[in-house]
Amino acid sequence: MLDLTYETPKPKVIAGAKHDWELVIGMEVHAQVASNAKLFSGASTRFGAEPNANVAFVDAAMPGMLPVINDFCVEQAVRTGLGLKAQINLWSAFDRKNYFYPDLPQGYQISQLYHPIVGEGEILVDMEPGIARLVRIERIHMEQDAGKSIHDMDPAMSFVDLNRTGVCLMEIVSRPDIRGPEEAAAYVTKLRQILRYLGTCDGNMQNGNLRADVNVSVCRPGQYEKYQETQDFAHLGTRCEIKNMNSMRFIQAAIDFEARRQIGILESGGEIVQETRLYDPDKGETRSMRSKEEAHDYRYFPDPDLLPLEIEQDWVDAIKAALPELPDEKKARFIKEYGVTEYDASVLTADRDLAGYFEESVAGGDGKKTANWIINEVLGRANKAELGPRQIAAPAVNAAIMAMVGNDEISTKTAKDVLEIHIETGDAPDKIVADRGLKQVTDTGAIEAALDQIIADNPAQVEKAQSNPKLAGWFVGQVMKATGGTANPKAVNQIVAAKLGL
């Protein structure tokens, strides 16, 4: 792997009426495990099914029904932990988290408070080329999702859909290492990218498959460094949690509002009350949901229906050996192997399919030129048309066009025209070039003949160009026009310079 050195970004500073303040943010991301069945039943996890269609007896908490763990969900949690360079705990256990809610039929949630399956890990969060924040992962535990209460279908009644009940979630808990709204969104983006590479969560925030609880506090400059030295959370200020964020834009807006709300309270002599809050995107503000004391009264205790979960190191090693190349490693390899910039490598590795598309398009050609072509030409058209890059041009099409550019058969400008014609007709690039006479003219005799005629017809322009060489570009343009844009621009420039004695 190529060793890249990153500078740590400075924390976000907000100027209050009296003092400067810094943000401290920790995240609890709930990621739905990509599996066909739920954590403790064989019921389907398919999104969009009819209400209460994906419910087994154990999900509905029918008497006498016992949970049976889904091995694949455990494997997905282990795979995620390995992808985040985390400690895998060979011994873990499930607990009951007791609380009442209409869409929680059991009256408790099976989770892993005391002994999670995954321990400490880390994520490198890219902010811009050369600048990244290392965010520590505290733990990952598996738990059941709850159902969904629906309040807007009837003015007098609420409805309950248990399709999500029992779906396996991974709760990925970070340390309070994130220092600004943009970093928080970048952290969730990077985490979602890694999960998608691993295939452990599809990251679909719109469907609720990835959602974040954001813990926000503010402190005076220098206090975070004291926390790092002492690990005393008192230096970070009292935090408030913003629940169920499912949009990068809303995450940033909610953090910014909440930080300024806390600063206003502190500077007016008040105290921050630890509580859970919700973000209202219509009003652009957070509002109180419930108070949250340090000790939660959930009456956790070990689940008596489930034995401790014991896994073998050999099994973990086999999962690790089968991991795909992850974004950071792929990005470093692209920089080293293909000579692309760090920015281009970040764009190309943002999505696993796009990274594969790029490598198929290179096909032994120029990696840097292919990267520029895909980012500027293919993705530009794909985004405008709201299509995937493969729907714009197959990798073989890109490779063929780039090969013709590399062999001076067509110019870069003509290459764009070929792509447009391919999109319209579906014809192969070589057929387009042949049928439409787009092959670049490299015959210096033909270029010289066209230029001689232009020089003969424009003696005054010749004198101007000889006294001001910058005007030689006029002759280049005229030659390109005379040859229908098929002349080799490099050859034209050289011949113009020689003919005019420049």
Side-chain angles (χ1 to χ4, degrees), residues 432-477:
I432 293 169
V433 170
D435 290 352
R436 304 196 181 216
L438 298 177
K439 191 169 184 180
Q440 194 162 248
V441 175
T442 55
D443 179 3
T444 56
I447 295 172
E448 286 183 1
L451 178 58
D452 288 341
Q453 186 61 51
I454 294 166
I455 289 173
D457 293 342
N458 298 275
Q461 196 68 22
V462 172
E463 292 182 13
K464 290 179 181 179
Q466 288 174 333
S467 60
N468 184 359
K470 290 182 180 180
L471 299 179
W474 183 85
F475 287 92
V476 175

Side-chain angles (χ1 to χ4, degrees), residues 400-414:
I401 293 174
M402 288 291 95
M404 286 190 285
V405 172
N407 294 331
D408 284 335
E409 293 178 48
I410 60 173
S411 66
T412 303
K413 181 181 181 302
T414 302

Side-chain angles (χ1 to χ4, degrees), residues 24-144:
V24 180
I25 302 162
M27 312 264 308
E28 298 167 12
V29 174
H30 295 84
Q32 179 178 319
V33 168
S35 65
N36 292 327
K38 296 181 180 181
L39 181 55
F40 296 115
S41 83
S44 172
T45 61
R46 184 174 66 86
F47 180 81
E50 287 295 313
N52 298 305
N54 299 342
V55 186
F57 287 136
V58 69
D59 304 319
M62 293 296 176
M65 295 297 103
L66 296 177
V68 177
I69 196 162
N70 181 339
D71 290 350
F72 184 69
C73 290
V74 177
E75 181 180 334
Q76 291 287 65
V78 170
R79 184 176 287 109
T80 300
L82 292 170
L84 300 182
K85 302 179 177 63
Q87 171 66 40
I88 306 300
N89 296 321
L90 301 181
W91 191 97
S92 61
F94 289 97
D95 308 293
R96 288 186 180 180
K97 177 182 179 181
N98 295 274
Y99 65 95
F100 170 78
Y101 208 71
D103 57 25
L104 191 71
Q106 297 168 151
Y108 60 84
Q109 179 188 42
I110 301 177
S111 185
Q112 293 186 306
L113 174 67
Y114 300 110
H115 302 287
I117 190 168
V118 177
E120 295 183 349
E122 63 183 37
I123 296 179
L124 188 66
V125 181
D126 307 284
M127 299 305 300
E128 56 185 91
I131 297 180
R133 172 80 66 190
L134 186 68
V135 177
R136 295 169 297 168
I137 300 300
E138 181 178 313
R139 56 185 279 149
I140 303 175
H141 62 261
M142 293 184 292
E143 64 183 21
Q144 296 172 301

